[in-house]
Amino acid sequence: MAVDVTMQGRVAVVTIRNPPVNAVSAAVRQALWDLIPGLDADAVVLTGAGKMFVGGADLTEFDRPVEEPTLPQVIARIEGSAVPWTAAVHGVALGGGLELALACHRRVAAPGTRFALPEVSLGIIPGAGGTQRLPRLIGVSAAIPVVAEMASLDTEAALAVGLVDHIATGDLVAEAVGLALTPVPERAFAPPAPQVWAEAEARIRRSAKGATAPLLALAAVRHGVENGLTEGLRHEREVFLHLRASEQAAALRHLFFAERTAPRPVALRDTTPRPVTQVGVIGGGTMGVGIAAALRNAGLPVVLVEQNEAALARAMTALSAIFDAAQRKGAMSASDAEARLKGVRGVVGYAGLAECDLVIEAVFEDLPTKRAVFAELAQVCAPQAILATNTSYIDPRLIVESLPQPDRFLGLHFFSPAHLMKLLEVIPLPDTAADVLAAAFALAGKLRKIPVQSGICDGFIGNRILRRSRAAAEALLHQGVPFADIDAAMRGYGYAMGPFEVQDLAGLDISYMHRQAARAAGQDVPRTPGDILVEAGRKGQKTGGGWYDYAPGDRSPQPSAQTAALLAGVLPPPVTMPPEAITAALLTAMADEGQAILAEDIAQTPAEIDLVLVHGYGFPRQRGGPMFQRARGDKTGQMT
Ligand code: 3HC
Ligand code: NAI
């Protein structure tokens, strides 16, 4: 039974039982719809079985037409009931779950409950009264961040704003039953000061980054406040149904499920991860420092190894700067920042590594250097310790070749800045033990990162696709498409920066050195416009210019007369290409490379490739990823 009823005296306790998150599925709605008219009680308590009240509407049903009874119909029955309903809420009340609680006449909550309307993160707005009943209950200013900006309220905050009437200190349902027959609280509603709307709109417009739902959620709140509850509910439902069928919502649902599937590979279901309680990081450069910060943020003690005292001092300063910045942003307290820094033991030499059960190497991208590090690690680390490389391109099999205990090696490819970027590519070697691989997934969970397993190839999943899309962008240059047009098109598509702006940020010299090394090794690498810029001293933002010019202290790209002059004889005269054609060319390149990666079993599913692009390379979330776009395009005949 999706819903059951028990009587406690004259109070009916209605319990939703739909594990794992008590999603309001068609079956739950039907069961509620059927039982409400027949309830013979003086009051009703509505609750959820297991660890939460209700996690929201059932998202697995959103690719199908809406089935009756709808959630608004069920909610209207609850709200219009002749007897009072009390929601007994614990764990979470999210989306449709919060809307069910709002339909009740009173709310009792357990400590530690989270209340939120995460619909906008799924490309929709609340569709069962959330945009209407929440502002009427807690006021417009308190409701807007919850409805349109992904804010959530804990039990105490919910009590403070009037969303919750009572915090249960003992048994939740018993306390709700105890209150169920007492008079229902009355609340007055006052419309907000006019500037509240304009301020919220400006704030949301800045943070929405191409997502349509947040502003529509705000507009729905305003529409209801200005036109009354009935009209507000009608309007909200209309917008919800429209968005439910939108491309953005489909893309965001695709990622929602992919993000929950990738961390739990079926092959590792029965494997206990090898424990990881103390971690060594070798190399305190850009990546090593970011990785150490990520580990500390997850509470793991770290030993950070550098090659000399000067490099170690630089690394510790950089680490301290990361925690200082987090503190300035209000993300952690001064004492937390201090404790996190204290939990890193900086050392020169490998002596401190014997107690580490995982060591992550992040030294220069150079095979002999990495081989020397691993040979040393194999000597000093405990036999069970897991040894990982953060290499970007080097075949990890070459790094650990002929070392004993081949089952303990793997690749853990972090993304810069490693304490912020969500992606972790996990690269098993042919002999990697299952419990070592499981430990990598467990570590990703602790670090709150999205792990994606990758096979071994040049650049693994992400850098391989990046290389292909860069080549596609360069091919457009050779057709005469101005690089500024390519950047503008990709920004218009939803990227924070275009591909040439990214090169300016990261530095053009790194890939230049790669090409030079390949040329020195006898490979036929054609000369590129990037080579010309680097040789003229234009290495990107760090030299005041690359593809664009940059004023000192200003990261906004400006057209460069010098770049134009340098490339004048190299590239054909400018042509105009529509932005859609530019984005289609780059997306096609990404999806084609993705297909090749799947065909070679480097990635296991198209959805995992999408996760790599979204969480490692800034692919706009509301577009779902290149493989999602390819699949949609196969249905519509074009890249969407
Ligand atoms: N519908 C369908 N399945 C859902 C779901 C939902 N709303 N929420 C979670 N699930 C599934 C997950 O896919 C996962 O399935 P799997 O085990 O087969 O992979 C399983 O439930 C457990 O999910 P989590 O791993 O995320 O479990 P946690 O315990 O870590 O978190 C949660 C639970 C906080 C409820 C989290 O799952 C969550 O945030 N869910 C989504 C909440 C949400 O966005 N709700 C709004 C939905 S839209 C809506 O309600 C519209 C309304 O306005 C009409
Ligand atoms: P980096 O040059 O900033 O840092 C490397 C550090 O390693 C230096 O501080 C150096 O002193 C130290 N080091 C060198 N040899 C050492 C040794 N034998 N023992 C101890 N320390 C030693 O390099 P970065 O950018 O941090 O890259 C490190 C690795 O991470 C490389 O393999 C790189 O390909 C990879 N990577 C880099 C990314 C990036 O965006 N920078 C992204 C993902 C992976």
Side-chain angles (χ1 to χ4, degrees):
M1 266 301 262
V3 180
D4 64 43
V5 186
T6 55
M7 292 303 293
Q8 298 205 11
R10 291 294 301 153
V11 179
V13 177
V14 174
T15 305
I16 298 174
R17 290 182 196 279
N18 187 19
V21 300
N22 290 331
V24 199
S25 60
V28 169
R29 297 196 304 272
Q30 188 68 55
L32 286 169
W33 180 256
D34 291 343
L35 70 82
I36 294 169
L39 285 174
D40 178 16
D42 295 337
V44 181
V45 167
L46 177 65
T47 194
K51 62 178 184 170
M52 64 185 75
F53 180 68
V54 169
D58 187 341
L59 292 167
T60 61
E61 294 176 351
F62 275 40
D63 288 325
R64 307 203 297 265
V66 178
E67 281 173 63
E68 294 204 339
T70 64
L71 190 53
Q73 287 170 331
V74 172
I75 278 176
R77 267 200 177 171
I78 294 175
E79 200 173 40
S81 165
V83 298
W85 282 57
T86 297
V89 189
H90 62 118
V92 299
L94 301 182
L98 178 51
E99 291 173 308
L100 267 177
L102 287 167
C104 294
H105 307 96
R106 167 184 15 234
R107 282 145 296 277
V108 175
T113 303
R114 186 161 64 89
F115 298 83
L117 292 168
E119 281 86 343
V120 294
S121 72
L122 294 159
I124 53 177
I125 68 168
T131 67
Q132 305 303 307
R133 293 189 182 92
L134 190 66
R136 281 177 174 75
L137 190 61
I138 70 173
V140 168
S141 295
I144 287 173
V146 180
V147 173
E149 299 175 87
M150 291 292 299
S152 60
L153 299 174
D154 61 18
T155 308
E156 286 72 27
L159 182 75
V161 293
L163 170 56
V164 160
D165 303 286
H166 172 75
I167 300 180
T169 48
D171 183 273
L172 171 69
V173 171
E175 290 189 30
V177 168
L179 284 169
L181 290 164
T182 62
V184 167
E186 295 273 338
R187 279 210 184 74
F189 170 66
Q195 72 271 18
V196 166
W197 300 117
E199 283 166 12
E201 186 176 331
R203 205 171 58 232
I204 294 168
R205 198 176 285 286
R206 271 197 307 277
S207 62
K209 294 190 186 134
T212 48
L215 278 174
L216 291 173
L218 175 70
V221 175
R222 183 169 192 171
H223 190 84
V225 168
E226 292 176 351
N227 298 280
L229 179 63
T230 308
E231 168 55 20
L233 288 171
R234 186 208 61 74
H235 171 83
E236 176 200 75
R237 189 69 183 166
E238 182 181 283
V239 176
F240 166 80
L241 290 174
H242 171 72
L243 291 177
R244 184 183 183 275
S246 68
E247 282 298 307
Q248 284 200 3
L252 291 164
R253 279 200 302 282
H254 162 71
L255 293 174
F256 175 88
F257 287 113
E259 283 158 359
R260 278 159 182 75
T261 306
R264 290 174 290 179
V266 176
L268 297 175
R269 198 167 274 168
D270 300 321
T271 308
T272 306
R274 205 175 279 192
V276 170
T277 54
Q278 165 134 346
V279 186
V281 176
I282 315 292
T286 310
M287 293 309 290
V289 162
I291 294 168
L295 293 163
R296 288 302 299 132
N297 289 342
L300 288 161
V302 172
V303 177
L304 179 61
V305 176
E306 256 297 351
Q307 52 182 348
N308 55 51
E309 293 295 344
L312 181 59
R314 273 198 304 276
M316 295 308 284
T317 305
L319 197 54
S320 164
I322 289 179
F323 295 133
D324 284 351
Q327 194 193 323
R328 273 199 308 279
K329 279 192 200 141
M332 67 179 72
S333 66
S335 61
D336 273 353
E338 198 188 324
R340 288 184 202 192
L341 191 60
K342 266 204 180 133
V344 179
R345 187 151 56 90
V347 293
V348 174
Y350 290 62
L353 295 173
E355 316 89 79
C356 294
D357 27 35
L358 165 67
V359 177
I360 303 170
E361 166 277 310
V363 303
F364 302 130
E365 183 75 347
D366 172 61
L367 180 57
T369 309
K370 288 190 189 290
R371 279 181 64 87
V373 168
F374 272 82
E376 194 92 34
L377 292 177
Q379 301 273 326
V380 298
C381 292
Q384 285 301 301
I386 301 169
L387 305 182
T389 174
N390 182 48
T391 180
S392 306
Y393 290 98
I394 300 172
D395 185 335
R397 288 169 297 197
L398 301 178
I399 298 176
V400 303
E401 200 175 43
S402 72
L403 290 176
Q405 292 169 291
D407 67 337
R408 57 149 133 185
F409 300 115
L410 85 167
L412 286 178
H413 188 212
F414 290 79
F415 289 75
S416 180
H419 59 295
L420 298 178
M421 295 294 282
K422 284 266 178 216
L423 179 64
L424 179 65
E425 282 182 330
V426 176
I427 303 131
L429 277 62
D431 294 318
T432 304
D435 67 338
V436 170
L437 191 55
F441 281 89
L443 177 74
K446 272 193 196 152
L447 302 183
R448 296 170 173 265
K449 297 202 184 291
I450 310 269
V452 172
Q453 188 166 322
S454 170
I456 298 172
C457 66
D458 193 23
F460 310 113
I461 299 173
N463 281 342
R464 182 168 154 178
I465 293 178
L466 176 69
R467 192 175 269 177
R468 176 80 174 258
S469 68
R470 281 198 174 157
E474 201 146 295
L476 292 179
L477 286 187
H478 289 289
Q479 291 171 38
V481 183
F483 58 83
D485 290 6
I486 300 174
D487 282 340
M490 296 312 278
R491 262 190 276 104
Y493 187 73
Y495 274 89
M497 286 182 168
F500 298 97
E501 291 163 342
V502 172
Q503 285 184 40
D504 274 358
L505 181 68
L508 277 68
D509 48 332
I510 297 167
S511 51
Y512 172 75
M513 285 186 302
H514 253 102
R515 289 191 296 274
Q516 288 293 79
R519 286 168 189 141
Q523 286 178 36
D524 178 22
V525 180
R527 205 165 151 67
T528 70
D531 293 342
I532 294 167
L533 295 178
V534 171
E535 285 165 13
R538 299 188 63 89
K539 296 180 187 171
Q541 287 191 22
K542 60 186 169 189
T543 59
W547 294 94
Y548 300 91
D549 284 344
Y550 299 85
D554 185 355
R555 286 172 173 255
S556 47
Q558 305 298 332
S560 164
Q562 191 191 3
T563 298
L566 284 167
L567 301 183
V570 182
L571 298 175
V575 297
T576 303
M577 184 180 267
E580 311 80 61
I582 295 174
T583 51
L586 268 61
L587 282 167
T588 300
M590 291 181 213
D592 284 350
E593 195 64 33
Q595 291 291 3
I597 281 170
L598 285 170
E600 293 168 31
D601 279 337
I602 298 295
Q604 301 184 351
T605 63
E608 289 180 341
I609 294 178
D610 288 339
L611 289 179
V612 167
L613 272 292
V614 168
H615 290 293
Y617 297 84
F619 194 99
R621 190 172 171 83
Q622 67 272 14
R623 303 278 190 176
M627 307 315 285
F628 174 82
Q629 289 292 328
R630 162 76 42 100
R632 301 299 273 195
D634 286 346
K635 282 187 203 144
T636 61
Q638 56 183 346
M639 285 299 237
T640 47

